[in-house]
Amino acid sequence: MTIFAVVVSRLSKAILTLLAIAILNFFLIHAAPGDPAVVLAGEAGAADEQMIEQLRERFGLDQPMYVQLGKYVAGIVQLDLGYSFRQGAPVAELIADRLPATLLLTLTAFVVSLVLGIAFGVAAAARVGKPSDTVLTTMALLFYATPLYWLALMAVLVFSVWFGWLPGFGYETVGANYTGLERVLDIGSHLILPALTLGLFFTAVYMRMARASMLEVSQLDFVKTAKAKGLSDAVIRRRHILRNAILPVVTLAGLQAGQLVGGAVLTETVFAWPGIGRLMFESLAARDYNTILGVFLVSAAMVILFNIVTDIVYRIVDPRIGARS
């Protein structure tokens, strides 16, 4: 099966999956306690029954559940995610404003964690049993076991408050009005702490997987044959072991890429990063159903997209996968 055929097949399945996720999320959100009309009326200082009923009628919350579901699904088909009661704007616009920040954070964290994880895993496997291997594996276990929110707070305390090396909050310097390269560097400096914090957990996972995979592949017959031919250890490790050992790491990275979106909620909240994770956190307190559903749907689409990209990369790394399909 060609890569184009794989993409078409995966996208067709992705549409049905997203539709099922949207329906399930709709019922789960509406089953949660709380009424957005009551929240809005309370904030307006007029939480009487008449005001609440007017708000429910205005936003269609007085209609039967199946009618609301039908309108919601019809809107999704037309790429309309509804209207935010809380912020007075279309949900699609709110998400579109926040999505680039989340994509920048998650993609940076994903690349950093994958590169560092593979590099440290290869280094640990090459020095198995030595003190450097022990240090690397201990650090991986430490980052794996440390809660994300605690790591984020400690990163702000150490690198922003104590040393003042990096900005601890926000997307860019407020009021600086940087342009061009200066703005890119400013955003990059704000990105370092949240991206590293989010990526360290996954770095530990990928490192342990890469180390174990390298050690397993190094014991296979074709590696012994390469050694018998007189090839150097560096060549054997690069051309024979790494290429085969990296496949499980790529698979695991693709499966766990969706967790980056979930981790972004905590990371964006701690670092005041203006992404969709923080938007969802704010919308939960306000019972802003449409915004929550929109963020859930976009997050699910991102996870599915990560999986499709992983499948394509897997086939590029190992062409035998495509030949067997």
Side-chain angles (χ1 to χ4, degrees), residues 138-159:
T138 302
M139 289 180 59
L141 182 61
L142 179 64
F143 287 128
Y144 181 81
T146 303
L148 181 61
Y149 69 87
W150 187 88
L151 195 61
L153 291 174
M154 290 303 101
V156 172
L157 180 63
V158 173
F159 296 104

Side-chain angles (χ1 to χ4, degrees), residues 70-88:
K71 291 183 177 181
Y72 175 64
V73 173
I76 291 177
V77 174
Q78 302 173 22
L79 302 180
D80 180 8
L81 300 179
Y83 193 81
S84 171
F85 311 138
R86 169 81 175 201
Q87 305 197 39

Side-chain angles (χ1 to χ4, degrees), residues 37-59:
V38 174
V39 175
L40 289 173
E43 291 179 351
D48 57 88
E49 288 296 329
Q50 183 178 1
M51 179 68 172
I52 292 174
E53 288 302 320
Q54 289 177 352
L55 288 173
R56 290 179 60 84
E57 181 179 358
R58 175 183 176 186
F59 296 117

Side-chain angles (χ1 to χ4, degrees), residues 29-245:
I29 289 296
H30 283 76
D35 189 336
V38 174
V39 175
L40 289 173
E43 291 179 351
D48 57 88
E49 288 296 329
Q50 183 178 1
M51 179 68 172
I52 292 174
E53 288 302 320
Q54 289 177 352
L55 288 173
R56 290 179 60 84
E57 181 179 358
R58 175 183 176 186
F59 296 117
L61 298 175
D62 60 332
Q63 298 177 347
M65 189 69 68
Y66 68 89
V67 175
Q68 296 183 47
L69 176 61
K71 291 183 177 181
Y72 175 64
V73 173
I76 291 177
V77 174
Q78 302 173 22
L79 302 180
D80 180 8
L81 300 179
Y83 193 81
S84 171
F85 311 138
R86 169 81 175 201
Q87 305 197 39
V91 173
E93 291 185 6
L94 295 175
I95 294 178
D97 289 339
R98 303 283 192 106
L99 186 59
T102 295
L103 288 176
L104 177 62
L105 174 60
T106 54
L107 289 176
T108 303
F110 179 77
V111 172
V112 168
S113 63
L114 190 58
V115 171
L116 292 181
I118 293 175
F120 290 152
V122 171
R127 298 166 178 81
V128 61
K130 297 181 180 179
S132 56
D133 176 36
T134 303
V135 170
L136 288 173
T137 52
T138 302
M139 289 180 59
L141 182 61
L142 179 64
F143 287 128
Y144 181 81
T146 303
L148 181 61
Y149 69 87
W150 187 88
L151 195 61
L153 291 174
M154 290 303 101
V156 172
L157 180 63
V158 173
F159 296 104
S160 182
V161 177
W162 287 358
F163 297 115
W165 291 346
L166 295 168
F169 305 101
Y171 181 77
E172 56 185 321
T173 304
V174 178
N177 297 322
Y178 292 130
T179 58
L181 181 59
E182 286 185 333
R183 184 166 186 260
V184 172
L185 294 176
D186 183 47
I187 295 175
S189 65
H190 285 78
L191 177 64
I192 292 175
L193 285 184
L196 285 179
T197 301
L198 182 58
L200 278 177
F201 170 83
F202 298 94
T203 298
V205 174
Y206 302 150
M207 177 200 155
R208 292 170 64 86
M209 173 62 77
R211 179 183 180 274
S213 185
M214 288 283 292
L215 294 177
E216 181 181 358
V217 173
S218 65
Q219 301 301 318
L220 298 180
D221 291 338
F222 70 89
V223 176
K224 297 178 181 178
T225 302
K227 291 180 179 179
K229 292 180 178 179
L231 296 178
S232 65
D233 291 341
V235 172
I236 293 174
R237 192 179 301 115
R238 183 178 66 254
R239 294 184 181 179
H240 298 276
I241 300 178
L242 180 58
R243 183 172 182 180
N244 291 275

Side-chain angles (χ1 to χ4, degrees), residues 244 247 315 317-325:
N244 291 275
L247 296 178
R315 290 167 183 271
V317 173
D318 188 2
R320 294 172 299 177
I321 300 298
R324 291 196 296 263
S325 300

